[in-house]
Amino acid sequence: MTDLSKYRNIGIFAHVDAGKTTSTERILKLTGKIHRTGEVHDGAATTDFMEQEAERGITIQSAATTCFWKDHRLNIIDTPGHVDFTVEVYRSLKVLDGGVGVFCGSGGVEPQSETNWRYANESGVARLIFVNKLDRMGADFYRVVGQVKNVLGANPLVMTLPIGIEDDFKGVIDLLNMKAWIWDESGQPENYTLEDIPAEYADKAAEYREMMIETAVEQDDELMMAYMDGEEPTVEQLKACIRKGTRDLAFFPTFCGSAFKNKGMQPMLDGVVDYLPAPTEVEPQPLTDKDTGEATGEVAKVDADEPLRALAFKIMDDRFGALTFIRIYSGKLNKGDTILNSATGKTERIGRMVEMHANDRNEISSAQAGDIIAVVGMKNVQTGHTLCDPKHECTLEPMIFPTPVIEIAVKPKDKGASEKMGIAIGKMVAEDPSFQVETDEETGDTILKGMGELHLDIKVDILKRTYGVELEVGQPQVAYRETITQPVEDSYTHKKQSGGSGQFGKIDYRIKPGETGSGFTFSSTVVGGNVPKEFWPAVEKGFASMMQEGVLAGFPVLDVEVELFDGAYHAVDSSAIAFEIAAKGAFRQSIPKAGAQLLEPIMHVDVFTPEDHVGDVIGDLNRRRGMIKDQEAGVTGVRIKADVPLSEMFGYIGHLRTMTSGRGQFSMEFSHYAPCPANVAEEVIAEVKARKEAK
């Protein structure tokens, strides 16, 4: 049996470019997992193995790896920092027990670190803080600690202090043991000496140690009383207090260093082992009712002897086939076991199981509660599905994903590419739940939907390079609609005479605007048999078929009521087809008289901005024809809710980031259709006309 107290499931998360991936590389080097470290800026980092990642120097998908430090097993997930990929951070936090928030020594607490911190707070994940890049120009450890307090509203418990800064950064002071770690200039992490604290740092170290002890002993009343009576706690007692406070999110142990220069990594790794919780020490995952999604009161206890309960948190396609990443919460999983997917009700047999090391893997034959592993070749499993023992069906708390906010139309360049695209997109949607695809009924184009322009850029890039699908990519499009604004009473006769029997149908009808959202409604009040009952369905069918294409710009028509009140027929020449044709002609004749109008989709937009940019953001939303609905202030900024036409929201994320120095974020979803202002309607109609003529 593995000792679960020796497990640490941790994630490393931060803003773009704060040094997460480099920190992961250094941890792997220190723990002997790799012998040569790869650099992000050379495109050679172990965990950034996608072509797109190496090229752009950013992490796009979370990579998992396992290593050992001081007899403890660390399962580490390196997550992306870019806002378009926060879904990766969110789903990684869901399955982790602890995290390391990496902050840049000169950049400090940046916007994406705020978002990730907020996600981690919502998930209740215990964290350490690592202030990285202290060798950089403008680095200032104490300023970053201040920002953690003020911007994140968190309580940093400083565990190490830097010796020197920028080019002179050479080591850290360990406040727990009151020793100085000094590294030489070789850049090798193991080339350090433990020395006495340099005289010029003695006062500062004493001051910060006192602050650290005062905060830590608050976790234990007896120790606190003893400390107030002048009795200093032992290192072991302090560690126990810090461990408890970290687990309860009372504070966050804060370390410092330079991952790139290999300085300060060992004390941080010791911190992971000493203070972050083991799988058995975190709140167990709640089980939910499969139909309602509500908590049942039961939990997945972290214990290898319980029935199997595991969550598939990520699906990845690579050169070896489809990989499903699984966090096992309770029970055991062996090769060859049959498990139940409670979301689909289907069972699957476990074939190959592997322990991941970024892009490499080690085959394993069994895993148990607390493990994070990958299974090769599962068929119907999607992100967020619960895998369990067929005899003990259960559902773990599901994952919630944000809805896509932007869409583009793509079409393959040739027939061959079309089939390839279908298969590739199927795999990509399974991998990334925030990426959605549908087919546009009107144009036949494939519509890709995502979290932002960079997100879709990368998806198109992956289709081209990974799957070899050449695409034509359209401009982002808006789905307009049409309607009418005034009632019309009219009459239409369809008459055709050409040898043999002719066609005849006359209808008198009223057309008027319907209730919002009512679509198309038809009624008949004809009396006396002027239009026989058997022809009424044909009249309705004729009008309904015309609703697909309006008279202004050919967009579908919404909310129209038609009433047939009179007409005439011919005993020989009248037929269902004649009345259907009459209805179509009637629609074309009368809709222009009924005050046809263009409708545009209005989006419900939720913007998050730091307080000092609220005025700019509101002014900008007003310029975009937005209606501000609500504002509420939070700890780290202000949320503004507004209704804004979709056509005005393209490229918004870029503007928002510029206005808020990269700290703003937004989400949007469809709200309703509303009439277009005349000037906008004219432009849209002219554009559609030009497109049709071009074809």
Side-chain angles (χ1 to χ4, degrees), residues 162-189:
I163 299 174
I165 202 77
E166 297 183 357
D167 288 347
D168 302 326
F169 176 65
K170 53 179 188 285
V172 301
I173 296 168
D174 168 1
L175 296 175
L176 196 65
N177 301 301
M178 288 305 266
K179 282 284 178 205
W181 294 62
I182 310 282
W183 280 267
D184 67 14
E185 286 312 302
S186 67
Q188 295 304 319

Short mmCIF file of all heavy atoms in Angstrom, two decimals, residues 162-189:
data_model
loop_
_atom_site.label_atom_id
_atom_site.label_comp_id
_atom_site.label_asym_id
_atom_site.label_seq_id
_atom_site.Cartn_x
_atom_site.Cartn_y
_atom_site.Cartn_z
N PRO A 162 15.09 37.44 0.19
CA PRO A 162 16.19 37.41 -0.79
C PRO A 162 17.48 38.02 -0.24
O PRO A 162 17.44 38.95 0.56
CB PRO A 162 15.64 38.27 -1.94
CG PRO A 162 14.62 39.16 -1.31
CD PRO A 162 14.07 38.45 -0.13
N ILE A 163 18.62 37.45 -0.68
CA ILE A 163 19.93 38.07 -0.38
C ILE A 163 20.40 38.68 -1.69
O ILE A 163 20.63 37.96 -2.68
CB ILE A 163 20.93 37.02 0.11
CG1 ILE A 163 20.41 36.36 1.40
CG2 ILE A 163 22.31 37.64 0.33
CD1 ILE A 163 21.26 35.21 1.90
N GLY A 164 20.50 40.01 -1.73
CA GLY A 164 20.84 40.68 -2.98
C GLY A 164 19.61 40.73 -3.86
O GLY A 164 18.59 40.07 -3.60
N ILE A 165 19.67 41.53 -4.92
CA ILE A 165 18.52 41.66 -5.83
C ILE A 165 19.06 41.98 -7.22
O ILE A 165 20.21 42.40 -7.36
CB ILE A 165 17.54 42.76 -5.31
CG1 ILE A 165 16.13 42.57 -5.86
CG2 ILE A 165 18.04 44.16 -5.61
CD1 ILE A 165 15.34 41.48 -5.20
N GLU A 166 18.23 41.75 -8.24
CA GLU A 166 18.64 41.94 -9.65
C GLU A 166 19.93 41.15 -9.92
O GLU A 166 20.02 39.98 -9.57
CB GLU A 166 18.76 43.43 -9.99
CG GLU A 166 17.42 44.16 -9.86
CD GLU A 166 17.49 45.63 -10.26
OE1 GLU A 166 18.57 46.14 -10.60
OE2 GLU A 166 16.43 46.29 -10.25
N ASP A 167 20.99 41.82 -10.47
CA ASP A 167 22.22 41.09 -10.83
C ASP A 167 22.94 40.51 -9.61
O ASP A 167 23.73 39.58 -9.72
CB ASP A 167 23.20 42.02 -11.56
CG ASP A 167 22.69 42.32 -12.96
OD1 ASP A 167 21.75 41.61 -13.38
OD2 ASP A 167 23.20 43.24 -13.61
N ASP A 168 22.68 41.11 -8.42
CA ASP A 168 23.40 40.66 -7.22
C ASP A 168 22.65 39.58 -6.45
O ASP A 168 23.06 39.21 -5.35
CB ASP A 168 23.63 41.86 -6.27
CG ASP A 168 24.41 42.96 -6.95
OD1 ASP A 168 25.26 42.62 -7.79
OD2 ASP A 168 24.14 44.14 -6.68
N PHE A 169 21.53 39.09 -7.00
CA PHE A 169 20.73 38.08 -6.27
C PHE A 169 21.53 36.79 -6.15
O PHE A 169 21.88 36.18 -7.14
CB PHE A 169 19.41 37.84 -7.02
CG PHE A 169 18.58 36.76 -6.38
CD1 PHE A 169 18.05 36.94 -5.12
CD2 PHE A 169 18.36 35.56 -7.03
CE1 PHE A 169 17.30 35.94 -4.51
CE2 PHE A 169 17.60 34.55 -6.43
CZ PHE A 169 17.09 34.75 -5.17
N LYS A 170 21.86 36.40 -4.91
CA LYS A 170 22.68 35.20 -4.82
C LYS A 170 22.15 34.12 -3.88
O LYS A 170 22.69 33.04 -3.81
CB LYS A 170 24.12 35.56 -4.47
CG LYS A 170 24.35 36.44 -3.23
CD LYS A 170 25.87 36.65 -3.09
CE LYS A 170 26.25 37.35 -1.80
NZ LYS A 170 25.94 38.79 -1.83
N GLY A 171 21.10 34.45 -3.14
CA GLY A 171 20.60 33.39 -2.26
C GLY A 171 19.37 33.83 -1.49
O GLY A 171 18.81 34.90 -1.74
N VAL A 172 18.93 32.97 -0.56
CA VAL A 172 17.75 33.29 0.24
C VAL A 172 18.02 32.97 1.70
O VAL A 172 18.85 32.12 2.03
CB VAL A 172 16.49 32.50 -0.24
CG1 VAL A 172 16.18 32.79 -1.68
CG2 VAL A 172 16.65 31.00 -0.01
N ILE A 173 17.29 33.69 2.58
CA ILE A 173 17.38 33.43 4.02
C ILE A 173 16.17 32.59 4.42
O ILE A 173 15.03 32.98 4.16
CB ILE A 173 17.36 34.76 4.80
CG1 ILE A 173 18.60 35.59 4.45
CG2 ILE A 173 17.28 34.50 6.30
CD1 ILE A 173 18.53 37.03 4.93
N ASP A 174 16.45 31.43 5.02
CA ASP A 174 15.37 30.56 5.47
C ASP A 174 15.01 31.01 6.89
O ASP A 174 15.79 30.85 7.83
CB ASP A 174 15.93 29.11 5.46
CG ASP A 174 15.02 28.14 6.18
OD1 ASP A 174 13.95 28.57 6.66
OD2 ASP A 174 15.37 26.94 6.25
N LEU A 175 13.82 31.61 7.04
CA LEU A 175 13.44 32.22 8.32
C LEU A 175 13.09 31.18 9.39
O LEU A 175 13.09 31.47 10.57
CB LEU A 175 12.25 33.16 8.12
CG LEU A 175 12.51 34.39 7.24
CD1 LEU A 175 11.22 35.17 7.02
CD2 LEU A 175 13.56 35.31 7.86
N LEU A 176 12.75 29.96 8.93
CA LEU A 176 12.38 28.93 9.90
C LEU A 176 13.61 28.46 10.66
O LEU A 176 13.62 28.38 11.89
CB LEU A 176 11.72 27.76 9.15
CG LEU A 176 10.93 26.78 9.99
CD1 LEU A 176 9.71 27.46 10.60
CD2 LEU A 176 10.47 25.61 9.12
N ASN A 177 14.68 28.15 9.89
CA ASN A 177 15.91 27.62 10.51
C ASN A 177 16.96 28.70 10.71
O ASN A 177 18.06 28.41 11.19
CB ASN A 177 16.48 26.49 9.65
CG ASN A 177 15.47 25.37 9.49
OD1 ASN A 177 15.04 24.79 10.48
ND2 ASN A 177 15.04 25.10 8.27
N MET A 178 16.65 29.94 10.27
CA MET A 178 17.58 31.07 10.37
C MET A 178 18.95 30.72 9.78
O MET A 178 20.00 30.85 10.41
CB MET A 178 17.70 31.56 11.82
CG MET A 178 16.45 32.30 12.29
SD MET A 178 15.94 33.68 11.24
CE MET A 178 16.73 35.07 12.04
N LYS A 179 18.91 30.25 8.53
CA LYS A 179 20.15 29.95 7.80
C LYS A 179 20.09 30.65 6.45
O LYS A 179 19.00 30.90 5.92
CB LYS A 179 20.27 28.43 7.55
CG LYS A 179 20.73 27.65 8.77
CD LYS A 179 22.22 27.84 8.98
CE LYS A 179 22.73 27.10 10.22
NZ LYS A 179 23.94 27.71 10.74
N ALA A 180 21.27 30.94 5.88
CA ALA A 180 21.31 31.54 4.54
C ALA A 180 21.73 30.48 3.54
O ALA A 180 22.71 29.77 3.75
CB ALA A 180 22.31 32.70 4.53
N TRP A 181 20.95 30.34 2.44
CA TRP A 181 21.32 29.45 1.32
C TRP A 181 22.02 30.35 0.30
O TRP A 181 21.38 31.25 -0.24
CB TRP A 181 20.08 28.87 0.65
CG TRP A 181 19.24 27.93 1.46
CD1 TRP A 181 18.58 28.20 2.61
CD2 TRP A 181 18.95 26.57 1.14
NE1 TRP A 181 17.88 27.10 3.05
CE2 TRP A 181 18.08 26.08 2.16
CE3 TRP A 181 19.31 25.71 0.10
CZ2 TRP A 181 17.59 24.78 2.16
CZ3 TRP A 181 18.82 24.41 0.10
CH2 TRP A 181 17.97 23.95 1.12
N ILE A 182 23.28 30.09 0.02
CA ILE A 182 24.01 30.91 -0.96
C ILE A 182 24.42 30.00 -2.13
O ILE A 182 25.08 28.97 -1.91
CB ILE A 182 25.29 31.54 -0.33
CG1 ILE A 182 24.98 32.25 0.99
CG2 ILE A 182 25.97 32.47 -1.34
CD1 ILE A 182 24.33 33.60 0.89
N TRP A 183 24.01 30.38 -3.35
CA TRP A 183 24.38 29.59 -4.53
C TRP A 183 25.58 30.23 -5.22
O TRP A 183 25.73 31.45 -5.20
CB TRP A 183 23.21 29.55 -5.53
CG TRP A 183 22.16 28.55 -5.16
CD1 TRP A 183 22.08 27.25 -5.58
CD2 TRP A 183 21.05 28.75 -4.27
NE1 TRP A 183 20.98 26.63 -5.01
CE2 TRP A 183 20.34 27.52 -4.21
CE3 TRP A 183 20.59 29.82 -3.51
CZ2 TRP A 183 19.19 27.35 -3.44
CZ3 TRP A 183 19.45 29.66 -2.74
CH2 TRP A 183 18.76 28.43 -2.70
N ASP A 184 26.40 29.40 -5.87
CA ASP A 184 27.51 29.99 -6.64
C ASP A 184 27.01 30.36 -8.03
O ASP A 184 25.82 30.23 -8.33
CB ASP A 184 28.71 29.03 -6.70
CG ASP A 184 28.41 27.77 -7.51
OD1 ASP A 184 27.38 27.76 -8.23
OD2 ASP A 184 29.18 26.80 -7.42
N GLU A 185 27.89 30.81 -8.89
CA GLU A 185 27.44 31.32 -10.20
C GLU A 185 27.38 30.24 -11.27
O GLU A 185 27.23 30.54 -12.45
CB GLU A 185 28.37 32.47 -10.66
CG GLU A 185 28.13 33.78 -9.91
CD GLU A 185 26.64 34.16 -9.84
OE1 GLU A 185 26.02 34.29 -10.89
OE2 GLU A 185 26.10 34.30 -8.71
N SER A 186 27.52 28.96 -10.89
CA SER A 186 27.55 27.90 -11.91
C SER A 186 26.17 27.67 -12.51
O SER A 186 26.03 27.07 -13.57
CB SER A 186 28.02 26.59 -11.27
OG SER A 186 27.03 26.15 -10.34
N GLY A 187 25.12 28.15 -11.80
CA GLY A 187 23.76 27.91 -12.31
C GLY A 187 23.26 26.52 -11.97
O GLY A 187 22.16 26.13 -12.38
N GLN A 188 24.04 25.72 -11.23
CA GLN A 188 23.58 24.38 -10.85
C GLN A 188 22.86 24.46 -9.50
O GLN A 188 23.40 25.02 -8.55
CB GLN A 188 24.77 23.42 -10.73
CG GLN A 188 25.49 23.16 -12.04
CD GLN A 188 24.53 22.64 -13.11
OE1 GLN A 188 23.66 21.82 -12.85
NE2 GLN A 188 24.67 23.14 -14.33
N PRO A 189 21.65 23.88 -9.38
CA PRO A 189 20.88 24.05 -8.15
C PRO A 189 21.57 23.43 -6.93
O PRO A 189 21.41 23.89 -5.82
CB PRO A 189 19.56 23.34 -8.44
CG PRO A 189 19.83 22.44 -9.60
CD PRO A 189 20.93 23.09 -10.38
#
